[in-house]
Amino acid sequence: QDTLDKCGYLSKLGGKVKTWKKRWCVLRGSELFYYKSQHDMLKKPQGCIRLDDHTKISRTHGELTFEVIRENKFYASEMYRFIIYFTY
């Protein structure tokens, strides 16, 4: 079954350096891929966030911001945390 991809720019809070980075994001099925820009879609994505039973999404820091927390199913103590801001 084909799914309609959703795409657009979001700002992602960096991990080590806490600065906002504008990223081109593509929601394909239950995976959110992100690239440096729309023109980089033919390259390997900078990252991919799986949205499944191990993922928690919640609103944070304002009405246009959400947080994605993903538990590593192999290492329960390890988590991935993303804070994303909608960019217009």
Side-chain angles (χ1 to χ4, degrees):
Q1 172 180 337
D2 290 336
T3 60
L4 179 63
D5 294 347
K6 306 289 184 200
C7 55
Y9 278 103
L10 297 172
S11 294
K12 177 184 170 293
L13 188 62
K16 292 182 182 178
V17 180
K18 299 292 183 195
T19 58
W20 290 97
K21 306 228 185 248
K22 189 174 178 180
R23 296 290 181 242
W24 181 256
C25 294
V26 177
L27 178 62
R28 184 175 298 131
S30 61
E31 296 179 310
L32 180 65
F33 297 91
Y34 55 95
Y35 304 84
K36 276 192 175 182
S37 75
Q38 183 177 4
H39 307 292
D40 291 334
M41 284 187 56
L42 296 178
K43 299 178 184 177
K44 182 179 176 183
Q46 284 202 306
C48 174
I49 305 169
R50 289 190 182 166
L51 307 174
D52 59 18
D53 292 340
H54 300 282
T55 308
K56 179 183 175 189
I57 301 172
S58 60
R59 182 182 284 180
T60 182
H61 306 333
E63 64 184 59
L64 297 178
T65 307
F66 63 95
E67 178 178 53
V68 178
I69 298 174
R70 176 156 173 79
E71 295 180 28
N72 185 325
K73 65 181 180 180
F74 299 107
Y75 303 99
S77 63
E78 185 177 348
M79 291 185 157
Y80 301 98
R81 184 176 180 214
F82 303 90
I83 299 178
I84 302 171
Y85 179 78
F86 287 100
T87 307
Y88 294 103

